[in-house]
Amino acid sequence: VAVSRLVCDPEGESGEFALAVRSDHHHRGLGRRMMGLLFDYARARGLKTMWGAIELHNDNMMALAKHLGFSAAGPAELGEVRMSLTL
């Protein structure tokens, strides 16, 4: 019902996250828990930042990212905004 991933750059400095929760399972805390696991993994690997490209119309993911401390890392492009967090 949910999947997440973290792709680390070759230097081990940052990682791009992706997260998807099946629509009939939204608002149950799955996304928050999955992001928590990604944070734990990123910190264990010594990453300094995590980032993800979030579609502008994905209000749930935008709200979660902001709640977790992510901020926009520049202007929106092609209907997406890059959200970044220093770990």
Side-chain angles (χ1 to χ4, degrees):
V1 297
V3 62
S4 64
R5 68 172 182 163
L6 183 66
V7 179
C8 302
D9 69 3
E11 293 81 24
E13 297 283 321
S14 69
E16 177 186 7
F17 75 86
L19 173 67
V21 177
R22 205 169 75 186
S23 60
D24 61 333
H25 283 75
H26 285 184
H27 306 290
R28 296 183 181 184
L30 290 173
R32 185 176 314 218
R33 282 183 253 163
M34 299 289 279
M35 287 299 289
L37 293 171
L38 291 179
F39 289 152
D40 291 346
Y41 179 76
R43 288 182 178 116
R45 294 269 322 249
L47 298 184
K48 295 178 182 160
T49 59
M50 277 179 57
W51 66 275
I54 302 174
E55 294 179 0
L56 289 173
H57 71 274
N58 189 342
D59 296 330
N60 291 335
M61 189 61 212
M62 290 292 271
L64 176 60
K66 288 177 183 177
H67 176 77
L68 294 173
F70 284 84
S71 58
E77 294 182 16
L78 302 172
E80 294 181 337
V81 64
R82 182 176 168 151
M83 301 292 283
S84 182
L85 175 71
T86 301
L87 299 172

